[in-house]
Amino acid sequence: MATLQSSLGKPDAAMSSYTQALQLLQDIGMKKEYGSVLLNRGVLHESRGEYDKALQDYKDSLQIQRDADDQTFSSLPQQHWRSVLTEGRHG
């Protein structure tokens, strides 16, 4: 839902949906999915120029993926993190 809202140009609605999804996933203990949503929320933060928030979401997502030993997605947060850092878009 949040990804669709974001693609339709509704970033505030998307952010709200990501926040709701994170709370739900935390409540039911779905850690890998939580990490994926954090990554997507980080992308939204980055697109809004909120680079410090994006970096935090990328870091948290990476840690969750590493803790889960999920090799499938573990490089994605690093790629986004490097993008923010190399572009000099951080605090």
Side-chain angles (χ1 to χ4, degrees):
M1 176 65 101
T3 305
L4 177 61
Q5 290 167 323
S6 183
S7 69
L8 291 173
K10 299 182 179 194
D12 293 335
M15 191 61 70
S16 178
S17 293
Y18 282 134
T19 300
Q20 290 174 8
L22 288 169
Q23 184 61 54
L24 175 64
L25 292 169
Q26 183 176 16
D27 289 347
I28 60 177
M30 297 182 73
K31 291 182 180 183
K32 285 174 55 173
E33 292 80 1
Y34 186 91
S36 295
V37 172
L38 274 176
L39 176 63
N40 289 332
R41 189 177 74 174
V43 171
L44 181 57
H45 279 306
E46 185 176 353
S47 74
R48 293 169 61 148
E50 300 167 343
Y51 304 116
D52 290 338
K53 291 178 181 179
L55 282 173
Q56 188 60 54
D57 280 352
Y58 297 153
K59 287 178 190 178
D60 293 344
S61 177
L62 179 60
Q63 188 60 51
I64 289 167
Q65 301 303 331
R66 283 183 175 164
D67 290 348
D69 197 28
D70 186 352
Q71 301 302 314
T72 307
F73 295 106
S74 64
S75 66
L76 290 175
Q78 290 176 330
Q79 291 169 2
H80 287 286
W81 187 356
R82 277 192 284 260
S83 169
V84 172
L85 292 175
T86 58
E87 295 295 323
R89 300 178 300 191
H90 59 91

